[in-house]
Amino acid sequence: MTELMLKYFRDKQQKAQSEKVYDTQCPYCSMQCKMQLIEQKIVSRKQYKTIGKDNPTSGGRLCVKGMNAHQHALHNERLKQPLMRINNEFVPVTWEVALETIKTNFQEIQKNHGNNALSVYGSASITNEEAYLLGKFARVALQTKYIDYNGRLCMASAATGANMTFGMDRGFTNTINEIPNTRVIILAGTNIAECQPTIMPYFEKAKENGAYIIAIDPRETSTTKLADMHLKIKPGSDIALANGLLKIMIEKELIDTAFIMKHTNHFDEVKNYVLSLNLDEIVSETGITMEEFYQSATVFASEPSGMIFTARGIEQQINGTETVRAFLNLLLATGKIGKPNSGFGAITGQGNGQGAREHGQKADQLPGYRSIENKVDRKYIADVWEIKEEDLPDKGVSAYEMFEHIEKGDIKSMFIMCSNPVISNPNANFVKKALEKLSFLVVVDLFLSETAQLADIVLPATSYLEDEGTFTNVEGRVMLREASFPIQGNAKHDWQILSEVATRLGKEKYFTYGSAEEIFEELRVASRGGKADYYGITYDRLRKESGVLWPCPSPDTPGTNRLFEKRFAHEDGKAKMAVVKNESGERKPKINSQYPLYLTTGRVMSHYLTGEQTRKSPSLAARNVEAYIEIHPETAKKYGIKQNKLVKVTSEKGWIIVRSQFSEAIRKDTIFIPFHWTEKQNVNRLVGDQLDPFCRMPGFKMSVARVSPITN
Ligand SMILES: Nc1nc2c(c(=O)[nH]1)N[C@H]1C(S)=C(S)[C@@H](COP(=O)(O)OP(=O)(O)OC[C@H]3O[C@@H](n4cnc5c(=O)[nH]c(N)nc54)[C@H](O)[C@@H]3O)O[C@H]1N2
Ligand SMILES: Nc1nc2c(c(=O)[nH]1)N[C@H]1C(S)=C(S)[C@@H](COP(=O)(O)OP(=O)(O)OC[C@H]3O[C@@H](n4cnc5c(=O)[nH]c(N)nc54)[C@H](O)[C@@H]3O)O[C@H]1N2
Ligand code: SF4
Ligand SMILES: [Mo]
């Protein structure tokens, strides 16, 4: 061996000796890409990088957010000690002081105002174990009915729509691996290219294999560029679009009558309704041409297989549930579900968007997708929790409605875990005032977010690098996130924090967990026999099998790759089609002389939700340093707005200031603002407080506003 080769091997060995590898999963979107943090010690300095790790869903790919996630996790602003507000300033305190203060205040408030004066606000970015425990914490430790979570702002309408139509809600009815083999795809209000980037190869492959892709979005995006047809719809008119497509499919006799007869109810009512509609009116309502209507309807119905994917563009509407159901009508009428390469996908958003909506954080829900209003379900869970059924509180209210109850004065205190509602809720000025009104606010976070700044006590949580647990990804695949990175400072895992607060409140015997796995063991039993049945899943299996798709009712069953192959989940085995009236959106705000533009909101690739994490990451922050308004140059000209200048955007609820970004990719009657920024750049100061009547989803995707220049 030459001297040079020896040196090469010596260097390599040295490097390996000083390198540590931590397995984890990305803290951001629902793809839950598996990854590894590589720690290299160079002299006395540590350097970090993140690389992808192979797994069945993301195949080892990462997007720019995942690659830079460690930058926020290792950021020096991470909270490392509990903070307590004293004379209006935050002072670091011990856990002992923080927990004792929480106990005293919670007990005092409940003594004076009753159990329901306390409320809990949770998240779909925590593990299944923590989501499960948060539900138990609210009902058993605090004995309050007021618990809800940020998923109410995210996927509530997709979940409710699927439950109503299919009888059960798992985001994807098929595995992700079926996408490349389908013949036609509708992407309705989803921007996967920026929001789930590592899913893109499945769609690119489908296209290579000849699939026809139809994208529905008021803007051209990196996703619509993939499509063969882009339906550049007027915001909020997707129901009319879906009904128009169905009318054409029925008139051209392209529907699957045998499937409809065998597997669905209510088709005749739906048929009578859509046939009564006038297509010319629908054309003007949606802004889509007659040719586009005929082409899309014909291709979708004629191909032997097809899939429909929806996301927040059609779901975050005050008639989001009905919008989802209108699209499900299309799948059912054409028989494109329950078969290979045909099915539905509501693309989940947060890392645990799926699992966190199954195990009891929702106001009306108990673990395993059980109902808090069903006597049998209540009894089952009360037995698992070893409490009396009559001690289980009733159903509470949705996320935004909790703030209304604070305003009314019946909620006095809130415990917020892993969410930043001052930025993410509609009517954000009101939400901030409501939180300020509370007599006692506890926030559990990684950082001093805009919400945490309003708290009386802030508790430091561990991050994705440190906290082990399971997440249910976009496919419905339960995955185990390993986590072995050392805990920073005196932070604690969310599940430990819940157990410790519960213990202080005298509920120790219900919260005796020594690890996340112990909580999962209880969750398995709590979910057993429910719709989201995890009983057959164990940590051991998750490690061996790279994840399992639920339902998985016993340890010797493989999990369920494709849903509804034999029957839907309603009692009679049939899906319920629904008459969805074009007028169902009547309550939506209408453009007028005062507010002449549609305002829609959403995301950009480099930032995540309220930006609390991604704005801490220099590599991501550098890509988009501030909020902006995407506006068509002709619209901008009309209102005297120049490129790259500050613009005031006003709605009935408030005003914000953002920078103009001209784009011919957006409709002339529509403006788009992402929601990743705070204070005067927080677009939710403009969004109204109307909610979907079925699932209480706010209308993030359709407000009306006006624009005016600030500087020229
Ligand atoms: N980079 C990034 N990725 C993310 C997130 C993030 O914050 N940043 N968040 C994660 C989460 S929690 C979620 S829920 C998902 C969200 O994922 P998506 O729902 O895909 O993202 P959005 O940008 O909110 O909205 C999608 C599209 O809907 C369009 N749209 C607006 N109004 C309408 C309408 O009336 N009709 C139709 N058909 N389309 C409309 C918008 O123009 C936008 O392109 O992304 C996840 N991934
Ligand atoms: N205008 C508009 N508004 C929207 C939307 C939209 O499209 N338009 N989308 C909505 C959607 S889909 C969603 S999902 C919501 C999201 O809304 P939020 O839940 O408010 O968003 P996040 O930024 O994820 O907030 C998470 C907070 O928890 C902290 N955190 C991160 N990881 C952990 C952890 O492991 N433990 C703890 N304790 N804390 C942690 C972060 O620092 C951050 O402060 O926003 C909604 N709001
Ligand atoms: S943000 Fe989503 S796509 Fe990107 S690395 Fe993370 S999990 Fe994967
Ligand atoms: Mo979301």
Side-chain angles (χ1 to χ4, degrees):
M1 209 180 280
T2 64
E3 194 51 37
L4 207 64
M5 278 169 86
L6 273 172
K7 183 175 178 322
Y8 169 74
F9 284 116
R10 229 178 8 247
D11 285 355
K12 209 172 155 185
Q13 198 185 5
Q14 260 175 9
K15 197 172 161 208
Q17 275 169 0
S18 63
E19 194 170 270
K20 276 193 191 154
V21 178
Y22 300 96
D23 279 343
T24 183
Q25 260 162 239
C26 178
Y28 298 125
C29 87
S30 53
M31 287 301 285
Q32 278 306 287
C33 300
K34 286 255 178 217
M35 56 197 211
Q36 293 180 317
L37 179 75
I38 314 284
E39 181 185 271
Q40 287 173 335
K41 205 164 173 193
I42 296 165
V43 198
S44 62
R45 239 183 92 233
K46 284 180 184 164
Q47 269 189 359
Y48 294 93
K49 70 173 177 201
T50 298
I51 59 167
K53 192 180 172 205
D54 195 25
N55 73 95
T57 307
S58 62
R61 294 179 289 274
L62 288 183
C63 80
V64 64
K65 285 190 301 306
M67 276 187 265
N68 293 296
H70 59 271
Q71 293 181 348
H72 85 259
L74 303 172
H75 197 277
N76 60 13
E77 285 173 31
R78 270 283 301 275
L79 298 173
K80 299 191 176 73
Q81 192 68 28
L83 299 175
M84 187 157 124
R85 181 185 296 282
I86 300 174
N87 294 333
N88 227 9
E89 267 184 41
F90 283 120
V91 178
V93 292
T94 60
W95 278 96
E96 174 60 31
V97 170
L99 292 170
E100 211 37 44
T101 309
I102 293 173
K103 173 187 156 180
T104 317
N105 280 278
F106 278 2
Q107 287 183 338
E108 182 74 14
I109 288 168
Q110 287 194 313
K111 197 173 96 209
N112 294 333
H113 305 282
N115 286 353
N116 291 326
L118 298 191
S119 62
V120 175
Y121 192 108
S123 172
S125 292
I126 51 180
T127 63
N128 283 319
E129 292 78 354
E130 289 157 351
Y132 166 79
L133 207 60
L134 198 68
K136 184 174 177 183
F137 174 77
R139 275 87 181 220
V140 177
L142 306 185
Q143 292 182 287
T144 177
K145 68 176 178 180
Y146 287 126
I147 170 167
D148 211 57
Y149 79 121
N150 66 7
R152 185 71 75 164
L153 316 175
C154 177
M155 297 213 51
S157 41
T160 305
N163 272 323
M164 289 169 98
T165 294
F166 299 145
M168 122 180 208
D169 151 50
R170 188 184 86 185
F172 276 26
T173 58
N174 304 50
T175 65
I176 209 162
N177 277 313
E178 295 185 41
I179 296 172
N181 300 320
T182 193
R183 298 295 308 157
V184 54
I185 295 171
I186 292 182
L187 298 171
T190 159
N191 187 5
I192 40 178
E194 301 208 46
C195 294
Q196 289 81 13
T198 59
I199 208 174
M200 286 300 275
Y202 293 98
F203 290 88
E204 284 155 0
K205 192 87 192 130
K207 186 145 177 161
E208 265 169 50
N209 291 343
Y212 188 86
I213 302 184
I214 302 162
I216 311 168
D217 198 304
R219 307 181 301 139
E220 282 159 38
T221 64
S222 321
T223 308
T224 64
K225 289 202 181 96
L226 184 74
D228 297 277
M229 174 164 296
H230 173 200
L231 305 177
K232 205 167 174 179
I233 193 168
K234 257 188 220 168
S237 63
D238 296 83
I239 287 179
L241 174 90
N243 281 337
L245 293 174
L246 187 55
K247 178 180 164 87
I248 296 169
M249 291 172 189
I250 296 173
E251 282 177 350
K252 290 186 77 180
E253 295 182 3
L254 295 172
I255 54 172
D256 185 341
T257 313
F259 182 92
I260 295 170
M261 299 276 287
K262 192 158 175 226
H263 295 290
T264 73
N265 283 317
H266 308 299
F267 174 70
D268 286 338
E269 291 106 289
V270 175
K271 175 177 161 186
N272 290 341
Y273 173 67
V274 297
L275 290 183
S276 75
L277 296 171
N278 178 327
L279 268 184
D280 290 313
E281 280 171 23
I282 292 184
V283 163
S284 81
E285 203 177 320
T286 55
I288 306 300
T289 66
M290 197 63 92
E291 294 69 38
E292 289 170 330
F293 261 105
Y294 272 90
Q295 168 77 359
S296 334
T298 311
V299 179
F300 188 79
S302 313
E303 287 290 350
S305 61
M307 290 181 162
I308 295 182
F309 295 90
T310 65
R312 308 312 83 82
I314 70 148
E315 297 163 12
Q316 288 173 329
Q317 307 277 355
I318 60 167
N319 56 353
T321 305
E322 287 164 296
T323 315
V324 169
R325 297 196 78 190
F327 279 92
L328 297 183
N329 282 345
L330 295 178
L331 271 184
L332 293 166
T334 55
K336 289 189 166 62
I337 183 142
K339 299 172 180 168
N341 315 320
S342 287
F344 175 56
I347 299 175
T348 37
Q350 295 170 86
N352 203 18
Q354 183 67 49
R357 73 174 186 255
E358 299 163 355
H359 299 296
Q361 278 186 92
K362 249 175 118 184
D364 56 353
Q365 195 201 54
L366 292 172
Y369 235 128
R370 289 186 157 87
S371 164
I372 205 160
E373 294 174 290
N374 175 308
K375 198 88 182 142
V376 179
D377 287 352
R378 289 173 64 87
K379 174 81 175 75
Y380 181 83
I381 295 298
D383 287 348
V384 175
W385 288 349
E386 297 176 353
I387 60 170
K388 288 200 229 99
E389 190 260 304
E390 47 291 12
D391 288 342
L392 251 184
D394 296 328
K395 152 175 144 169
V397 299
S398 74
Y400 178 78
E401 289 169 301
M402 290 206 282
F403 300 111
E404 294 180 329
H405 279 268
I406 297 174
E407 173 60 24
K408 277 192 220 148
D410 43 340
I411 291 180
K412 304 281 182 201
S413 175
M414 190 173 259
F415 182 94
I416 301 177
M417 176 165 271
C418 192
S419 188
N420 191 6
V422 170
I423 314 295
S424 52
N425 267 259
N427 202 7
N429 286 326
F430 166 83
V431 169
K432 190 167 185 180
K433 280 202 197 98
L435 286 173
E436 281 165 353
K437 191 174 168 183
L438 287 171
S439 25
F440 189 64
L441 172 63
V442 181
V443 174
V444 189
D445 206 296
L446 307 177
F447 298 105
L448 201 56
S449 68
E450 200 175 323
T451 303
Q453 284 166 34
L454 306 176
D456 298 283
I457 298 275
V458 185
L459 300 176
T462 53
S463 79
Y464 73 102
L465 289 174
E466 301 126 44
D467 189 19
E468 181 188 64
T470 61
F471 282 73
T472 307
N473 78 3
V474 69
E475 291 186 279
R477 184 187 298 275
V478 184
M479 295 166 85
L480 176 61
R481 178 178 78 188
E482 310 278 359
S484 55
F485 197 76
I487 291 175
Q488 302 194 22
N490 285 320
K492 287 182 195 271
H493 303 314
D494 287 312
W495 63 265
Q496 286 175 324
I497 295 173
L498 295 174
S499 302
E500 292 193 14
V501 176
T503 300
R504 286 282 154 159
L505 296 170
K507 298 296 167 83
E508 185 176 5
K509 71 171 178 163
Y510 305 105
F511 293 84
T512 54
Y513 313 99
S515 67
E517 187 170 4
E518 280 180 28
I519 305 170
F520 191 77
E521 286 299 305
E522 189 179 299
L523 181 159
R524 288 178 58 209
V525 177
S527 74
R528 190 177 193 180
K531 282 196 170 145
D533 191 335
Y534 282 40
Y535 182 66
I537 306 174
T538 59
Y539 271 33
D540 215 24
R541 272 190 81 172
L542 293 177
R543 287 200 174 100
K544 284 195 192 117
E545 298 173 34
S546 305
V548 177
L549 282 99
W550 71 261
C552 181
S554 77
D556 48 16
T557 50
T560 312
N561 284 354
R562 190 181 305 123
L563 297 175
F564 313 136
E565 286 185 291
K566 295 204 179 71
R567 59 192 315 279
F568 289 96
H570 286 301
E571 242 162 51
D572 63 358
K574 290 187 175 188
K576 287 194 171 77
M577 294 183 75
V579 175
V580 181
K581 300 232 160 117
N582 285 2
E583 309 80 70
S584 85
E586 281 291 88
R587 294 182 305 125
K588 283 187 185 170
K590 302 204 175 27
I591 46 175
N592 53 47
S593 55
Q594 217 186 347
Y595 302 111
L597 296 168
Y598 295 111
L599 161 67
T600 191
T601 67
R603 297 151 163 83
V604 297
M605 166 84 113
S606 56
H607 282 288
Y608 189 70
L609 300 178
T610 69
E612 196 49 47
Q613 296 164 90
T614 45
R615 280 184 281 108
K616 300 275 178 346
S617 164
S619 309
L620 297 175
R623 290 171 174 242
N624 291 87
V625 289
E626 59 181 352
Y628 64 88
I629 170 176
E630 184 176 333
I631 186 167
H632 195 282
E634 279 181 33
T635 316
K637 194 166 167 212
K638 192 165 159 195
Y639 297 104
I641 286 161
K642 303 227 167 89
Q643 169 71 310
N644 213 17
K645 298 287 179 196
L646 292 179
V647 180
K648 184 171 179 187
V649 191
T650 311
S651 80
E652 251 182 8
K653 292 291 178 196
W655 56 270
I656 59 168
I657 295 174
V658 285
R659 198 169 290 281
S660 60
Q661 194 166 301
F662 286 8
S663 162
E664 300 205 347
I666 191 160
R667 291 176 58 92
K668 290 178 194 160
D669 56 7
T670 305
I671 50 175
F672 170 85
I673 304 177
F675 82 108
H676 312 296
W677 287 271
T678 62
E679 299 184 345
K680 296 271 182 310
Q681 299 193 333
N682 176 3
V683 71
N684 277 327
R685 293 189 173 193
L686 308 182
V687 174
D689 53 4
Q690 283 182 296
L691 303 174
D692 177 303
F694 299 97
C695 69
R696 320 309 282 158
M697 166 69 83
F700 290 123
K701 290 296 188 272
M702 218 203 94
S703 313
V704 296
R706 69 167 173 268
V707 291
S708 52
I710 293 255
T711 50
N712 268 312

